[in-house]
Amino acid sequence: MTIEVGSVIEGTVTGITKFGAFVELPDKKVGLVHISEVANEYVKDVNDFLKVRDKVSVKVLSVDDKGKIALSIKQTQAAPEKKEFRPKRDMRQKHEFRQHNGFDSRRSSGSLSFEDRLSKFLKESDERLMDLKRNTESKRGGRGARHAD
């Protein structure tokens, strides 16, 4: 039996390593199922999913010039159902958070123009930067501080 890329074949697990499992195919050929191709979920340890002498169905991914055969168990299984994405907070909670923290876009955008909001932001930013500089300089001795010799 010739092994063709894309074909699904029955095989027997002959060895397990930290990076995958070796599977014996018909005609005594051996291929490797990489750990990333063992299951549709995260695989930390191959031994949690496979045991030596397990019969498995594998898909041939590639056969290189040296005869190395790459296999996949994952691609022979049905794809898992995708979970529907749901935001953790509903819109009411998000709105309450924004109002509480001063980010209510309806309040600020309705009464202030973009330029007004930008100048307000720059002013607050400059004030915070000055406070930070004052606190840092006082801890280091400040600018122009004289030390007695």
Side-chain angles (χ1 to χ4, degrees):
M1 174 182 185
T2 59
I3 296 173
E4 297 176 14
V5 174
S7 61
V8 177
I9 304 171
E10 288 292 320
T12 306
V13 177
T14 57
I16 295 177
T17 65
K18 62 182 177 183
F19 56 84
F22 290 98
V23 176
E24 185 177 320
L25 304 171
D27 298 334
K28 303 291 183 194
K29 293 187 178 181
V30 177
L32 174 68
V33 178
H34 188 265
I35 191 170
S36 65
E37 292 293 330
V38 169
N40 284 314
E41 58 190 88
Y42 176 73
V43 178
K44 184 174 184 177
D45 185 7
V46 179
N47 289 300
D48 295 339
F49 292 85
L50 299 172
K51 303 288 180 241
V52 174
R53 291 190 293 281
D54 279 355
K55 299 284 184 192
V56 291
S57 178
V58 294
K59 180 176 181 180
V60 179
L61 299 179
S62 67
V63 180
D64 71 5
D65 297 336
K66 296 178 183 177
K68 291 183 180 180
I69 304 168
L71 304 170
S72 173
I73 296 172
K74 173 169 78 171
Q75 292 185 26
T76 63
Q77 301 168 346
E81 292 182 23
K82 291 190 176 187
K83 295 180 181 177
E84 183 180 324
F85 173 75
R86 285 188 173 168
K88 293 187 179 187
R89 289 191 230 154
D90 65 5
M91 292 305 287
R92 186 177 62 250
Q93 288 173 322
K94 192 174 183 179
H95 178 69
E96 289 170 1
F97 171 81
R98 286 182 170 191
Q99 276 186 328
H100 177 72
N101 291 298
F103 295 117
D104 188 11
S105 59
R106 289 179 297 168
R107 181 180 58 197
S108 63
S109 63
S111 60
L112 298 174
S113 68
F114 173 75
E115 289 79 15
D116 292 337
R117 285 186 283 163
L118 181 60
S119 67
K120 180 181 174 186
F121 169 78
L122 290 173
K123 180 181 174 188
E124 290 173 358
S125 178
D126 286 340
E127 289 171 359
R128 288 186 192 125
L129 191 57
M130 292 301 291
D131 287 342
L132 180 65
K133 283 183 181 179
R134 262 187 249 119
N135 290 335
T136 305
E137 288 173 358
S138 67
K139 292 178 183 173
R140 287 190 284 162
R143 228 181 320 159
R146 304 267 184 228
H147 297 288
D149 290 312

